[in-house]
Amino acid sequence: MAGVATAPAQSAAPRRPGVVLAALTFVYVLNFLDRQLIGIVAKPIQDSLGVTDGQLGLIGGLYFAMFYCFIAIPVGWFADRTSRVGVLSLACAIWSGATVACGLAANYTQLVIARMTVGFGEAGGVPPSYAIITDTFPPGRRAAAFGIFNLGPALGAAVGVAFGALIAERFGWRMPFIVIGAVGIVTALLLRLFLREPARGATDAAMGAATGAATGAIPAEKARFWSTVRMFFAHPVLMLAALGSGATQFVTYGLGNFAVLFLMREKGMVLHEIAVWYALVIAIGMGGGMIVSGRVIDRMTRRSRAGYAIAPAASLAVAMPFYLGFVYVPGWPLALALLLVVMVFNYVYLSAAVALVQDEVRPDQRVLAGALLLLVMNFIGLGLGPTWVGFASDAFRAAGDGHALRTALYTLTPFYLVAIALFVALARRLAREARA
């Protein structure tokens, strides 16, 4: 921690913003890949360790989120005061080592402990990256940058499905954890050696100079922890963005952690088909949606900040009927075609929410504000979504439902409506503030 606590000299104007963004996106790919491996190799894990759907939901949901969500808060506060690059590299080393430990787990208890440690490490991954990107790209380019950065989940899930499923089929479910964890440890070292720390508020100050405004002024005293926390939870715009994102993630994580198991159990797919076709759906659908949504949001918000909320509300309204179709139709080819549309529109909220929160707070509050956003939306979505689906599936099976997992996935539908309502309320709030 001594190496992290001493921030290196900050670069006021990043020379190669594209290189910075590519490096952070690659780390996010590893972050999400490690997180998703449990769901990708769920069937082999169940066969090997005798894990139920409910236990699987706890590993991928509540147990992971307990550390991932709450540790992110002190980590965010610490990173706001020290080197964000140092915190990010240390976090990457921790979660990667814990991923290796997942592959070495001999029973369910050991797997739970290893997963909790992955969550502990990953808590320091995304919030520092949000702040580094914000201090590298000026307003008007940030949503597009976040759209590229948020390719991390799409690429991580796609690579995880393709790599994890193929390797698990040939060498067993443990090997993907060991190999990917080792790659992450090497990446953590390279990140610390070569990524430079940008100056806090550099791009805001540049924008303020160009416009004659005081944007980006950084107070002499660092933001206090509890004052930032109180500000976040008392701020209607920030809370509506966080709650809307959480309701959306309840669907995306609830589906994502059980999608491979559902496709194998209900749609008749096998691991090598998953490795090709489901991976393509994730890469094209989620990845394409992330890139397009970032650019669309940048265009919309130049006219009105309400675009930060209108875009996710409209996209979720489009996605919901396709989601119901995906769960209902027999056979995996048509199901995957419908899921492709779902993937395109399900993730528009992410770039919008992140860019809005980063724009809404001071430069010295950005890492902690990003961590608080992740706390709310991930505790609701990541913590409770997979847990809900797993226990619902076990309950429906105990009641004699022959398609228990399918019925459990149907119960996610109301959360689409909740998320849409919250984003509509946010759009109205932003429009009122603009008029005022």
Side-chain angles (χ1 to χ4, degrees):
M1 294 298 293
V4 175
T6 304
Q10 296 183 341
S11 171
R15 297 177 184 175
R16 296 182 178 178
V19 174
V20 173
L21 184 58
L24 296 177
T25 302
F26 180 72
V27 174
Y28 199 11
V29 168
L30 292 177
N31 180 298
F32 207 82
L33 200 165
D34 293 351
R35 190 185 315 175
Q36 293 294 101
L37 275 179
I38 287 286
I40 292 165
V41 295
K43 185 68 167 60
I45 289 176
Q46 285 188 324
D47 295 341
S48 173
L49 301 181
V51 177
T52 68
D53 286 357
Q55 290 175 316
L56 193 67
L58 284 170
I59 296 174
L62 188 61
Y63 290 156
F64 180 90
M66 283 169 59
F67 281 84
Y68 180 73
C69 295
F70 291 101
I71 296 298
I73 305 307
V75 168
W77 175 82
F78 182 70
D80 268 330
R81 293 168 172 265
T82 59
S83 166
R84 295 162 296 183
V85 173
V87 170
L88 178 60
S89 61
L90 177 62
C92 183
I94 293 172
W95 85 61
S96 299
T99 299
V100 174
C102 288
L104 301 176
N107 53 53
Y108 180 71
T109 301
Q110 292 179 9
L111 187 59
V112 167
I113 294 171
R115 283 291 291 174
M116 285 182 168
T117 310
V118 172
F120 176 86
E122 290 193 4
V126 179
S129 297
Y130 284 164
I132 293 169
I133 291 171
T134 303
D135 287 334
T136 303
F137 293 88
R141 293 178 58 199
R142 284 178 188 160
F146 281 123
I148 294 172
F149 175 70
N150 286 328
L151 283 173
L155 295 176
V159 171
V161 168
F163 177 84
L166 286 175
I167 299 301
E169 189 173 50
R170 178 167 296 187
F171 298 105
W173 65 268
R174 299 178 185 277
M175 189 57 66
F177 289 98
I178 295 171
V179 173
I180 293 168
V183 171
I185 292 171
V186 174
T187 300
L189 177 61
L190 296 175
L191 194 70
R192 186 68 178 126
L193 290 175
F194 296 109
L195 192 65
R196 299 182 65 183
E197 177 84 5
R200 286 171 170 83
T203 54
D204 299 293
M207 177 61 70
T211 60
T215 304
I218 304 174
E221 185 178 355
K222 294 290 186 182
R224 295 183 180 275
F225 178 84
W226 287 114
S227 63
T228 302
V229 171
R230 286 193 296 270
M231 176 277 299
F232 187 94
F233 286 103
H235 199 306
V237 168
L238 300 182
M239 283 307 298
L240 283 170
L243 292 172
S245 299
T248 306
Q249 285 198 343
F250 196 98
V251 178
T252 59
Y253 276 114
L255 169 63
N257 277 44
F258 286 91
V260 172
L261 190 61
F262 177 69
L263 288 168
M264 296 178 72
R265 186 185 293 174
E266 297 285 346
K267 308 298 184 182
M269 295 187 79
V270 294
L271 275 176
H272 70 267
E273 292 171 336
I274 293 284
V276 176
W277 299 109
Y278 180 52
L280 283 174
V281 166
I282 293 174
I284 296 171
M286 192 190 303
M290 291 288 191
I291 293 175
V292 172
S293 66
R295 297 186 180 279
V296 169
I297 291 163
D298 271 340
R299 287 178 177 270
M300 292 179 68
T301 53
R302 285 168 193 156
R303 294 191 296 268
S304 169
R305 294 183 79 236
Y308 283 126
I310 294 171
S315 67
L316 292 172
V318 173
M320 185 171 64
F322 287 93
Y323 170 76
L324 290 171
F326 159 73
V327 177
Y328 173 75
V329 298
W332 62 265
L334 179 56
L336 287 184
L338 294 169
L339 183 61
L340 178 64
V341 180
V342 175
M343 289 288 186
V344 170
F345 290 99
N346 258 6
Y347 292 90
V348 171
Y349 80 95
L350 191 54
S351 297
V354 171
L356 174 60
V357 170
Q358 294 291 298
D359 284 351
E360 196 74 12
V361 302
R362 298 199 315 259
D364 61 319
Q365 297 175 315
R366 280 174 174 155
V367 182
L368 183 53
L372 291 166
L373 171 67
L374 292 176
L375 166 66
V376 176
M377 70 182 188
N378 282 329
F379 186 77
I380 296 171
L382 175 59
L384 302 181
T387 305
W388 168 271
V389 173
F391 277 101
S393 178
D394 283 350
F396 288 128
R397 180 178 293 105
D401 188 342
H403 301 280
L405 184 53
R406 182 178 68 185
T407 307
L409 291 178
Y410 277 132
T411 65
L412 294 176
T413 310
F415 288 90
Y416 269 111
L417 301 175
V418 173
I420 291 168
L422 287 167
F423 281 121
V424 168
L426 175 59
R428 291 175 175 171
R429 178 91 192 185
L430 290 171
R432 284 199 304 271
E433 289 184 358
R435 289 194 298 269

